[in-house]
Amino acid sequence: MSIPQLIPTSLRVFPVRLLPDMDVLSTIRNLIIENNLQAVFILTCVGSIKSGRLRLANSTDTIDLNKSHEIVSLVGTIDQQSEHLHGSFSDEKGSVIGGHVMSDVEMRVFTTVEIVLAECENVVFSREFCSRSGYPELVITKKIEQ
């Protein structure tokens, strides 16, 4: 097994507030496409949602979030074509559920979502199928200078 190559990069940071009823994932996707961002990750995120879907760990089982939940954590990497996001969400009793954020159900903002996106300026993110994991996995490529 080879050791991953590190590619140093600087960052650009983009704070944004999402309003009630906006879809978190499609809004992030649109911001990335409109601004031609190539290697994005979520630096921080707080707020609340009223819908979403999570895939549970090491499973194909999913759970739908059909009532308001606070965002305890939302992290991941996003490229021009896809994303890999994990989230933790708490309900009105403080119970927390987490998993892989699915994009097939809208993650709708309840009151607000304050999110800070960051872009690694010197690299491009993409995904390729990995025979070891069985999933499309992150590929990090040095950006070609123009």
Side-chain angles (χ1 to χ4, degrees):
M1 184 180 327
S2 64
I3 297 173
Q5 176 189 4
L6 295 179
I7 304 170
T9 185
S10 54
L11 295 178
R12 293 192 308 162
V13 179
F14 305 92
V16 62
R17 177 177 173 238
L18 307 185
L19 302 173
D21 292 317
M22 294 178 84
D23 175 34
V24 176
L25 300 179
S26 67
T27 302
I28 291 171
R29 171 74 43 223
N30 290 338
L31 289 169
I32 287 170
I33 292 169
E34 289 172 8
N35 293 283
N36 195 31
L37 306 180
Q38 309 257 335
V40 175
F41 65 96
I42 296 175
L43 194 57
T44 190
C45 180
V46 296
S48 60
I49 60 168
K50 60 183 176 181
S51 66
R53 177 174 287 160
L54 301 175
R55 188 186 75 231
L56 303 178
N58 197 30
S59 174
T60 57
D61 294 342
T62 60
I63 187 163
D64 288 335
L65 305 176
N66 293 320
K67 59 182 180 177
S68 64
H69 283 77
E70 293 289 323
I71 299 171
V72 177
S73 172
L74 184 64
V75 298
T77 55
I78 310 157
D79 59 65
Q80 286 276 318
Q81 306 298 319
S82 61
E83 65 280 327
H84 185 185
L85 302 177
H86 288 187
S88 298
F89 305 88
S90 66
D91 65 16
E92 72 280 0
K93 294 180 181 167
S95 298
V96 176
I97 186 148
H100 177 91
V101 176
M102 303 295 290
S103 61
D104 60 341
V105 168
E106 292 182 335
M107 181 183 284
R108 288 266 167 214
V109 176
F110 180 53
T111 58
T112 190
V113 169
E114 301 163 11
I115 189 165
V116 180
L117 301 173
E119 181 190 35
C120 301
E121 290 188 303
N122 304 351
V123 297
V124 174
F125 290 169
S126 60
R127 298 191 192 274
E128 293 178 6
F129 181 79
C130 173
S131 61
R132 294 185 74 179
S133 74
Y135 291 97
E137 301 290 6
L138 183 67
V139 175
I140 304 162
T141 309
K142 187 171 182 176
K143 192 179 278 187
I144 298 171
E145 302 293 326
Q146 296 186 10

